[in-house]
């Protein structure tokens, strides 16, 4: 899979790249479960509900990306980020912990063939203000995940 040729490109053909003035990033605040769309690629998705929510990633489009962060500390239920289908997986790693250095530092790995979701429970797996995950689609069946 390669980046779709139908995407609009900001370029005038220079090997140096291009300059785009005044770009702003879309910010999506989640206060209930949400399903993202490919058109929202590049957005900052803010989990703004303390009682947990599920965010579903869109069907894979190579190069699509989302940053998901928390603006409130999760107090009940879980935050869950899940792929769109049973045939779409995550690959990469996330480091999680709690507010104290002594008990932090667990690493959760996604192998690219079985893991479909990241669950943030706020007890032993993150969910504090400032938790951040980045998802980048790398092919037709995988999202690369990284974060703290």
């Amino acid at each position: 899979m390669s980046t779709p040729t139908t995407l609009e490109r900001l370029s005038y053909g220079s090997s140096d790249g291009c300059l785009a003035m005044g770009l702003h990033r879309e910010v999506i605040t989640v206060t209930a479960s949400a399903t993202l769309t490919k058109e929202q690629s590049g957005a900052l998705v803010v989990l703004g509900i303390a009682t947990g929510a599920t965010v579903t990633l869109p069907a894979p489009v190579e190069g699509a990306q989302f940053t998901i962060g928390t603006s409130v500390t999760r107090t009940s239920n879980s935050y869950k980020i899940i792929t769109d289908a049973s045939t779409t997986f995550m690959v990469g790693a996330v480091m999680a912990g709690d507010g104290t250095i002594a008990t932090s530092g667990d690493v959760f790995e996604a192998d690219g063939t079985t893991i479909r979701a990241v669950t943030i429970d706020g007890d032993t797996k993150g969910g504090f203000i400032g938790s951040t995950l980045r998802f980048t689609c790398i092919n037709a069946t995988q999202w690369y995940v990284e974060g703290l």
Side-chain angles (χ1 to χ4, degrees):
M1 179 178 195
S2 61
T3 304
T5 58
T6 55
L7 292 176
E8 184 177 356
R9 301 183 187 277
L10 297 174
S11 176
Y12 59 88
S14 167
S15 60
D16 292 333
C18 69
L19 178 66
M21 305 294 277
L23 290 179
H24 288 34
R25 184 176 191 185
E26 181 178 8
V27 176
I28 301 166
T29 300
V30 174
T31 57
S33 292
T35 299
L36 301 174
T37 66
K38 64 182 181 182
E39 292 81 11
Q40 293 171 314
S41 175
L44 171 61
V45 180
V46 178
L47 300 172
I49 181 170
T51 56
T54 297
V55 175
T56 304
L57 296 168
V61 175
E62 187 174 308
Q65 57 184 330
F66 296 92
T67 301
I68 299 178
T70 55
S71 64
V72 298
T73 296
R74 188 222 52 97
T75 58
S76 62
N77 303 311
S78 295
Y79 294 134
K80 184 174 188 175
I81 298 87
I82 189 165
T83 64
D84 69 304
S86 62
T87 55
T88 306
F89 302 100
M90 295 181 188
V91 61
V94 173
M95 180 174 271
D98 64 22
T100 65
I101 299 288
T103 57
S104 290
D106 286 336
V107 175
F108 299 91
E109 296 176 342
D111 63 12
T113 60
T114 59
I115 306 299
R116 293 192 49 232
V118 173
T119 301
I120 304 168
D121 71 8
D123 297 325
T124 60
K125 300 176 191 142
F128 303 103
I129 293 174
S131 297
T132 303
L133 301 172
R134 186 169 326 149
F135 296 86
T136 303
C137 181
I138 59 172
N139 59 49
T141 61
Q142 293 178 323
W143 286 89
Y144 182 83
V145 58
E146 58 186 319
L148 294 171

